Amino acid sequence: MNFGLTIPAQTTSFLLLYYVDHLKLNPGWAATAMTCFALYNAANNPLIGFLSDRTRSRWGRRIPYVRFGALPSLLLFGLLFSAPFSGTDQPVALLVYFVVMFILWEGFATAVGTGYLALLPEMFRTYRERTDVAWRMNAVQIFGLLVGLALPPLLAGMIGWTAMAWVFAALAAAAIFAGLGGLFERPGSAGRELGFLTALRATFTHRAFLIVVAALTMRFFATGTLAAGMGFYVRYSLGIEGGAATTILLAGAFVTAGLALYPWRTFIAPRLGPRGTLMLAFGLTAVSLIPLALVNSLVGAAITTVLFGAALAGLILMGDVILADVIDDDELRSGQRREGMYYGMAGFITTLSTALTSQVFGAVTRASGYDPTLTVQPGAVADGFRFFMTVPPITGALLALAILSVYPLHGARLSAMRDALARKRGGQLDAES
């Protein structure tokens, strides 16, 4: 299922390339639209998460959102890459189509993703279980990243963007519906349910949560910048035409990340814990991206993306694991399991990375003089996209490293929290029996 959910989510990283470079939408308009979308996405995430915590149905709390939201989200994903307008002839119509389809797709996709991710800490309770499941789940996700991030430029050049999107939608649907039968939910807490504003306040006053989502926002800003800019970097900074080179670079990063997941899980995560593992991964990410400012060949860029992929594995592995610790800590504080609210609030905050990426993209294109309608771009465009691929993501990784240095749930405090939660659950089981 993670494979199927990853494909459309990652393929939307090419929306700027599709709408701006292919359909010739004004890049300033596109950046503004993406920013507005990010604000909308930020608002609907906590609402959907809160609703999933309070949903009661014969399928459970989370599963209905996955079961009934997947098909509409994939149909809208296909339509998102099926724009019938051109930026040169009908720019306003193209912009309206882009915004409407993006909003509709994102609403359904958020419901499905929140329901799915909220099941991870509920189905798997211990750190060992979660890291074991996380590396397996994300090893599968790597294939989704390869399809959703590495293949679109290549396939779009062969069969077109629209056909590529519908092929991916069908592939994602097959994977998601094949996995529905494996989902299960545990009985929820019997405690008093919190109202929305009370739940919002309880979540926003959880210091560990705020630190984690701030670091994860920087992660998505760094990786989102790389994904959104790779096609531009290859074409204008390296001077290589066609989608094959972009596919090679992104595939190198994700294949390496997939291969590195098991070593991270086996040798690093048990020794360093969630915080230490993430801090190491962010530090390696920052170092690995420096060569992109200097290389001028496909080989040099490929070596760099392989190094980045090795660091990316640590980020992929530990993101949901460390958030699960935060949710466990909240159970001790509130007496409830509120996975939906926490994943919704995490989406609320981390989605702002999209707005940040869009604004940086808009600023760089304006400063460099990039104009998608020109046959030959100004010389500053090459340096502009080289800057875009290095300075913003490196800055994001370093900020995440600094943020995690004050994360409280590590060492003795984390062990004490886990012990207290185990005693609480043991007492509940005795009472029920």
Side-chain angles (χ1 to χ4, degrees), residues 131 134-136 138-139 142 251-270 277 280-281 284 305-318:
T131 54
W135 91 258
R136 296 168 185 269
N138 288 304
I142 293 299
F254 297 125
V255 169
T256 303
L259 295 174
L261 278 171
Y262 182 77
W264 276 92
R265 181 256 178 266
T266 303
F267 302 111
I268 299 175
T277 303
L280 177 61
L284 293 176
T305 56
V306 166
L307 295 174
F308 168 72
L312 178 63
L315 301 180
I316 292 174
L317 176 67
M318 297 309 299

Side-chain angles (χ1 to χ4, degrees), residues 266-313:
T266 303
F267 302 111
I268 299 175
R271 290 169 174 79
L272 299 184
R275 185 188 78 146
T277 303
L278 268 180
M279 290 179 71
L280 177 61
F282 275 117
L284 293 176
T285 296
V287 173
S288 69
L289 293 175
I290 294 174
L292 287 180
L294 306 172
V295 299
N296 293 298
S297 67
L298 180 61
V299 172
I303 293 173
T304 303
T305 56
V306 166
L307 295 174
F308 168 72
L312 178 63

Side-chain angles (χ1 to χ4, degrees), residues 53-390:
D53 283 339
R54 299 172 70 90
T55 296
R56 299 294 182 268
S57 75
R58 65 189 182 95
W59 298 282
R61 294 191 296 172
R62 324 292 183 189
I63 294 175
Y65 292 90
V66 183
R67 180 184 295 270
F68 301 113
L71 185 59
S73 74
L74 293 173
L75 291 174
L76 288 163
F77 166 74
L79 292 172
L80 190 56
F81 282 92
S82 303
F85 308 107
S86 166
T88 55
D89 300 326
Q90 300 161 299
V92 175
L94 179 61
L95 177 65
V96 171
Y97 184 91
F98 176 37
V99 171
V100 171
M101 287 300 160
F102 208 167
I103 287 175
L104 291 175
W105 168 77
E106 196 284 327
F108 280 97
T110 295
V112 176
T114 299
Y116 173 78
L117 290 172
L119 289 170
L120 174 65
E122 183 173 345
M123 293 171 65
F124 308 101
R125 293 292 178 86
T126 69
Y127 179 61
R128 182 174 180 177
E129 284 180 340
R130 287 169 180 171
T131 54
D132 187 51
V133 168
W135 91 258
R136 296 168 185 269
M137 182 177 84
N138 288 304
V140 174
Q141 184 188 48
I142 293 299
F143 290 102
L145 291 170
L146 283 170
V147 174
L149 279 179
L151 291 183
L154 181 63
L155 287 182
M158 297 169 59
I159 62 176
W161 286 99
T162 299
M164 174 275 297
W166 287 108
V167 169
F168 283 2
L171 184 61
I176 292 170
F177 286 104
L180 274 175
L183 301 180
F184 67 90
E185 299 187 30
R186 299 178 187 271
S189 169
R192 179 179 59 87
E193 292 182 338
L194 301 179
F196 179 72
L197 293 179
T198 303
L200 201 64
R201 183 166 55 251
T203 307
F204 262 115
T205 56
H206 196 171
R207 179 169 173 261
F209 169 73
L210 295 178
I211 292 171
V212 165
V213 294
L216 293 181
T217 299
M218 291 298 99
R219 168 201 159 180
F220 290 121
F221 170 62
T223 56
T225 299
L226 291 168
M230 186 62 76
F232 296 93
Y233 176 79
V234 167
R235 182 174 183 180
Y236 298 113
S237 300
L238 299 182
I240 302 174
E241 294 290 338
T246 302
T247 297
I248 290 171
L249 294 180
L250 292 173
F254 297 125
V255 169
T256 303
L259 295 174
L261 278 171
Y262 182 77
W264 276 92
R265 181 256 178 266
T266 303
F267 302 111
I268 299 175
R271 290 169 174 79
L272 299 184
R275 185 188 78 146
T277 303
L278 268 180
M279 290 179 71
L280 177 61
F282 275 117
L284 293 176
T285 296
V287 173
S288 69
L289 293 175
I290 294 174
L292 287 180
L294 306 172
V295 299
N296 293 298
S297 67
L298 180 61
V299 172
I303 293 173
T304 303
T305 56
V306 166
L307 295 174
F308 168 72
L312 178 63
L315 301 180
I316 292 174
L317 176 67
M318 297 309 299
D320 290 323
V321 173
I322 197 170
L323 187 56
D325 281 337
V326 171
I327 294 169
D328 286 346
D329 186 59
D330 176 73
E331 183 179 349
L332 291 175
R333 293 156 57 104
S334 69
Q336 299 184 39
R337 296 296 299 180
R338 299 193 302 127
E339 291 93 342
M341 190 64 177
Y342 272 95
Y343 275 99
M345 289 306 301
F348 167 74
I349 298 172
T350 58
T351 297
L352 298 177
S353 65
T354 303
L356 184 57
T357 299
S358 300
Q359 288 303 302
V360 173
F361 175 84
V364 169
T365 53
R366 286 192 300 271
S368 65
Y370 170 73
D371 184 345
T373 63
L374 296 177
T375 303
V376 178
Q377 298 293 334
V381 169
D383 291 333
F385 285 116
R386 196 178 291 276
F387 174 91
F388 183 73
M389 291 290 286
T390 52

